[in-house]
Short mmCIF file of all heavy atoms in Angstrom, two decimals:
data_model
loop_
_atom_site.label_atom_id
_atom_site.label_comp_id
_atom_site.label_asym_id
_atom_site.label_seq_id
_atom_site.Cartn_x
_atom_site.Cartn_y
_atom_site.Cartn_z
N PHE M 168 -143.54 27.89 32.91
CA PHE M 168 -143.06 27.40 34.15
C PHE M 168 -142.61 28.55 34.91
O PHE M 168 -141.84 29.36 34.40
CB PHE M 168 -141.82 26.40 33.84
CG PHE M 168 -141.23 25.81 35.08
CD1 PHE M 168 -141.60 24.53 35.56
CD2 PHE M 168 -140.25 26.49 35.74
CE1 PHE M 168 -141.11 24.05 36.66
CE2 PHE M 168 -139.72 25.91 36.92
CZ PHE M 168 -140.12 24.74 37.37
N ARG M 170 -141.00 30.00 38.77
CA ARG M 170 -140.39 29.63 40.05
C ARG M 170 -139.84 30.92 40.67
O ARG M 170 -139.70 32.01 40.00
CB ARG M 170 -139.19 28.73 39.89
CG ARG M 170 -138.15 29.16 38.92
CD ARG M 170 -136.90 28.22 38.99
NE ARG M 170 -136.19 28.40 40.25
CZ ARG M 170 -135.37 27.70 40.83
NH1 ARG M 170 -134.95 26.56 40.14
NH2 ARG M 170 -134.78 27.89 41.96
N SER M 175 -139.16 26.42 43.41
CA SER M 175 -140.36 26.22 42.56
C SER M 175 -141.62 25.66 43.29
O SER M 175 -142.72 25.71 42.63
CB SER M 175 -139.95 25.47 41.30
OG SER M 175 -139.80 24.17 41.70
N LYS M 177 -142.03 22.40 43.33
CA LYS M 177 -142.33 21.59 42.15
C LYS M 177 -143.32 20.41 42.68
O LYS M 177 -144.06 19.87 41.87
CB LYS M 177 -141.07 20.93 41.63
CG LYS M 177 -140.22 20.20 42.58
CD LYS M 177 -138.89 19.68 41.79
CE LYS M 177 -137.94 19.10 42.78
NZ LYS M 177 -137.16 20.06 43.50
N ARG M 219 -140.34 30.95 32.76
CA ARG M 219 -139.58 30.19 31.76
C ARG M 219 -140.61 29.62 30.63
O ARG M 219 -141.72 29.28 30.90
CB ARG M 219 -138.97 28.93 32.36
CG ARG M 219 -137.73 29.20 33.26
CD ARG M 219 -137.38 27.92 33.77
NE ARG M 219 -136.14 28.06 34.66
CZ ARG M 219 -135.69 27.07 35.59
NH1 ARG M 219 -136.46 25.93 35.63
NH2 ARG M 219 -134.61 27.21 36.24
N GLU M 220 -140.07 29.36 29.45
CA GLU M 220 -140.82 28.63 28.54
C GLU M 220 -141.01 27.22 29.09
O GLU M 220 -140.09 26.74 29.59
CB GLU M 220 -139.87 28.60 27.21
CG GLU M 220 -140.45 27.72 26.11
CD GLU M 220 -139.48 27.54 25.00
OE1 GLU M 220 -138.58 28.46 24.76
OE2 GLU M 220 -139.55 26.48 24.34
N PHE M 221 -142.10 26.77 28.88
CA PHE M 221 -142.44 25.36 29.33
C PHE M 221 -141.87 24.44 28.40
O PHE M 221 -142.12 24.45 27.20
CB PHE M 221 -143.93 25.11 29.55
CG PHE M 221 -144.29 23.78 30.02
CD1 PHE M 221 -144.09 23.46 31.44
CD2 PHE M 221 -144.70 22.65 29.23
CE1 PHE M 221 -144.29 22.23 31.91
CE2 PHE M 221 -144.94 21.49 29.72
CZ PHE M 221 -144.66 21.21 31.00
N MET M 222 -141.06 23.48 28.91
CA MET M 222 -140.34 22.52 28.03
C MET M 222 -141.08 21.11 28.14
O MET M 222 -141.47 20.64 29.24
CB MET M 222 -138.95 22.29 28.38
CG MET M 222 -138.10 23.57 28.44
SD MET M 222 -136.36 23.19 28.91
CE MET M 222 -136.61 22.68 30.60
N PHE M 234 -146.95 16.11 39.06
CA PHE M 234 -145.60 16.39 38.58
C PHE M 234 -145.09 15.29 37.50
O PHE M 234 -145.11 14.08 37.74
CB PHE M 234 -144.56 16.45 39.70
CG PHE M 234 -143.15 16.68 39.34
CD1 PHE M 234 -142.76 18.01 39.33
CD2 PHE M 234 -142.31 15.75 38.82
CE1 PHE M 234 -141.44 18.39 38.82
CE2 PHE M 234 -141.06 16.03 38.35
CZ PHE M 234 -140.64 17.41 38.44
N GLU M 239 -134.02 12.79 34.50
CA GLU M 239 -133.15 13.87 34.72
C GLU M 239 -131.87 13.26 35.54
O GLU M 239 -131.99 12.23 36.15
CB GLU M 239 -133.85 14.76 35.77
CG GLU M 239 -135.13 15.32 35.14
CD GLU M 239 -135.82 16.54 35.94
OE1 GLU M 239 -135.03 17.42 36.53
OE2 GLU M 239 -136.96 16.60 35.86
N THR M 317 -131.44 22.68 34.08
CA THR M 317 -132.53 23.46 34.70
C THR M 317 -132.20 24.08 36.03
O THR M 317 -132.84 25.02 36.59
CB THR M 317 -133.78 22.49 35.12
OG1 THR M 317 -133.27 21.22 35.53
CG2 THR M 317 -134.57 22.35 33.88
N ASP M 318 -131.10 23.57 36.73
CA ASP M 318 -130.90 24.00 38.13
C ASP M 318 -129.51 23.71 38.40
O ASP M 318 -128.84 22.82 38.06
CB ASP M 318 -131.84 23.26 39.11
CG ASP M 318 -132.25 24.01 40.33
OD1 ASP M 318 -131.75 25.14 40.43
OD2 ASP M 318 -132.87 23.45 41.23
N1 ADP H 261 -139.06 25.20 31.84
C1 ADP H 261 -139.39 23.96 32.30
N2 ADP H 261 -140.37 23.30 31.63
C2 ADP H 261 -140.89 22.16 32.09
N3 ADP H 261 -140.37 21.62 33.19
C3 ADP H 261 -139.39 22.24 33.94
C4 ADP H 261 -138.95 23.56 33.55
N4 ADP H 261 -137.99 23.92 34.40
C5 ADP H 261 -138.02 22.97 35.33
N5 ADP H 261 -138.84 21.91 35.09
C6 ADP H 261 -139.08 20.79 35.88
O1 ADP H 261 -139.34 21.14 37.34
C7 ADP H 261 -138.31 20.69 38.11
C8 ADP H 261 -137.95 21.78 39.25
O2 ADP H 261 -137.33 22.84 38.55
P1 ADP H 261 -136.24 23.57 39.24
O3 ADP H 261 -136.02 24.95 38.51
O4 ADP H 261 -135.03 22.77 39.37
O5 ADP H 261 -136.83 23.99 40.65
P2 ADP H 261 -136.41 23.52 42.22
O6 ADP H 261 -135.16 24.34 42.52
O7 ADP H 261 -137.55 23.87 43.11
O8 ADP H 261 -135.96 22.09 42.17
C9 ADP H 261 -137.11 20.32 37.28
O9 ADP H 261 -136.33 19.25 37.88
C10 ADP H 261 -137.87 19.73 35.98
O10 ADP H 261 -138.31 18.46 36.23
#
Side-chain angles (χ1 to χ4, degrees):
F168 181 94
R170 54 170 293 166
S175 68
K177 57 181 174 278
R219 286 178 179 164
E220 175 190 332
F221 182 76
M222 302 182 297
F234 182 92
E239 299 191 40
T317 41
D318 205 5

